Every structure is written in structure tokens, then in C-alpha cells.
Amino acid sequence: MNRKRMIVIAIAVVLILCVGIAFYFWHKDQKEKQEANRILHNKYSYTAGTLHLDVDTSEYDRTSDPHDIELTPTDLTYDLLQRWEALSEVIPTIDYPEEAVEQEDWLNVYNAFASNRFDAEDASEEITKGEEGETADSMVINDYLLYGSVYNDDFREFLEENGIEGPDRRRLE
């Protein structure tokens, strides 16, 4: 009888261990999915903010699936895209994601924008290096793309020389 009892106890211990291990891996998988969803949700937020997109989260609120977040372009989005496309035609290191824009694949448009950041900074510094002793401005292109701001005379001249319209957003002095 002792032997049968030991076998039953061993089987019970093995079953408890198997259930515990399964629960551990299930819980770990759930945490990884939650983290991935949080990261994707943040990416949608960054994309919407950077590209001036409207955000509809009504379906996401129901499902908690970030893929259900709907991004819609605004007039500010189209202005940004127009400036970006114009600059990409005269600055070969700046890539414009024409196909992603046509497909309204806003996450990929955002990825392209983010991957252009350092090239835009380098080009900004090259354009605004000005006279000897003047400090170059590495943000003129990013500010122009994002907000339409043209506050640097060298950059304004660059835009004019290349037939790109640039509004003057400097404060009146």
C-alpha cells in the first residue's frame, strides 16, 4: 500500500509542477503581449503627435488592441508632407516615403521621418553654417517640416533659391 501511495503522491507532485510551469509560461507570455501592446500604443501616439494626425480610439477602447487605433490625416499632416516632399527633391539625403504616404501607412511614414532625423540635422548644419564664427543650427529642417517655421535667414535663402515657399514665422521685433 505504501508503494501505491508514493506513486499517487509522485503523480500529484508532477501534475502540480506541470500546471505551475504551464501557468508561469502563460503568465510570461501575457506580460510580453501586454508590453508589446504598450509599445505599439506608444508608437501610435508618437506617430499621431509628430505627423499631426487625428486619433480615433473608440475601437481600441473596446478591444485594447493597438491595431484598432485609427489615424486620420489633417490639413497640418498634408502641409508637413508637402514640405517634406519638396525638401526631399532638393536634399538627396532626405528620403520621402511616397508609397507609405499613398497607402496612408502612418506608422511607416513616422519610421521614415524618424530615420531622416540625423540626415536632416546634418543638412541643416550645412545650410546654416553661415559666416565664419556663426553657429550652425541643426534643427531648421526639422522645425520647418514639423511646424513650417523658418526663422533662419540662411535657411530662408536656401528655400527661396530652390523654389520652396517658406513662411516667415519669426516674432516681430
Side-chain angles (χ1 to χ4, degrees):
M1 192 80 162
N2 253 348
R3 183 178 170 109
K4 286 184 182 180
R5 188 177 202 182
M6 292 301 282
I7 292 173
V8 169
I9 291 173
I11 291 172
V13 168
V14 168
L15 285 174
I16 290 171
L17 285 173
C18 288
V19 168
I21 290 170
F23 178 76
Y24 168 78
F25 284 108
W26 175 83
H27 182 69
K28 182 179 175 188
D29 184 56
Q30 291 302 311
K31 285 179 73 173
E32 288 171 357
K33 285 180 182 177
Q34 286 176 337
E35 180 64 11
N37 280 345
R38 186 188 64 75
I39 290 168
L40 184 58
H41 182 275
N42 287 344
K43 187 159 186 176
Y44 272 92
S45 295
Y46 300 146
T47 298
T50 301
L51 301 178
H52 311 292
L53 299 161
D54 279 339
V55 181
D56 179 1
T57 60
S58 57
E59 188 66 16
Y60 166 76
D61 293 339
R62 192 178 64 74
T63 66
S64 297
D65 181 356
H67 292 97
D68 290 332
I69 296 173
E70 189 173 323
L71 301 174
T72 307
T74 65
D75 289 342
L76 292 173
T77 305
Y78 291 120
D79 291 345
L80 180 151
L81 294 172
Q82 185 177 11
R83 292 188 295 269
W84 185 0
E85 185 174 28
L87 277 179
S88 73
E89 291 173 2
V90 297
I91 303 174
T93 57
I94 295 179
D95 297 320
Y96 179 76
E98 187 172 345
E99 187 176 321
V101 170
E102 288 173 4
Q103 295 173 357
E104 295 190 355
D105 182 354
W106 300 118
L107 293 179
N108 278 331
V109 172
Y110 172 78
N111 288 339
F113 189 86
S115 69
N116 275 309
R117 179 175 177 209
F118 296 114
D119 290 328
E121 288 177 3
D122 290 345
S124 293
E125 288 178 359
E126 184 65 30
I127 292 167
T128 63
K129 64 182 173 186
E131 301 294 321
E132 190 174 319
E134 289 183 21
T135 304
D137 186 341
S138 64
M139 297 305 294
V140 293
I141 291 177
N142 280 328
D143 289 345
Y144 175 68
L145 291 175
L146 290 170
Y147 314 111
S149 298
V150 180
Y151 53 82
N152 179 286
D153 291 335
D154 293 327
F155 186 60
R156 182 177 295 101
E157 288 175 21
F158 171 83
L159 293 174
E160 290 170 0
E161 289 170 4
N162 287 285
I164 301 172
E165 295 294 320
D168 186 353
R169 300 249 173 137
R170 291 182 296 176
R171 295 177 188 233
L172 296 175
E173 297 178 39

